[in-house]
Amino acid sequence: MGHYATGLALEKAGVVSANDMTVEAIACKCAYLFGRGDLTNEEVGKLLSVSIRGEVTPADALSPPPLSSAYQRASRKGKKYF
């Protein structure tokens, strides 16, 4: 979530990333984690990014974020505009 300015702002505000989980997986996981009763809100937030039953794709299996500008795309191709 922290690759771009918007994601960084959300992280600073305390938003917890759901990574690539579906809405159904998030609902089930939250129900399970909060239903345990022995976890704090902070612990639940940290455990949301941990795969319990394969609901979260490991970070090393994800492709890097796309290039954010035409300049960056062109520079990868070796073109120079300056």
Side-chain angles (χ1 to χ4, degrees):
M1 183 167 73
H3 294 291
Y4 301 103
T6 304
L8 290 173
L10 290 170
E11 282 182 348
K12 286 182 183 178
V15 173
V16 177
S17 175
N19 296 322
D20 64 341
M21 286 190 288
T22 63
V23 175
E24 295 82 2
I26 295 166
C28 291
K29 193 167 193 174
C30 285
Y32 168 72
L33 292 173
F34 283 116
R36 286 181 46 152
D38 63 340
L39 299 171
T40 64
N41 291 346
E42 289 79 22
E43 290 171 324
V44 169
K46 289 178 184 175
L47 288 172
L48 278 174
S49 63
V50 177
S51 183
I52 297 174
R53 294 285 183 254
E55 71 280 3
V56 180
T57 305
D60 58 348
L62 296 173
S63 60
L67 294 172
S68 60
S69 71
Y71 172 77
Q72 289 175 324
R73 287 191 299 273
S75 66
R76 285 190 93 186
K77 293 179 181 178
K79 296 180 182 177
K80 295 188 179 185
Y81 294 101
F82 49 92

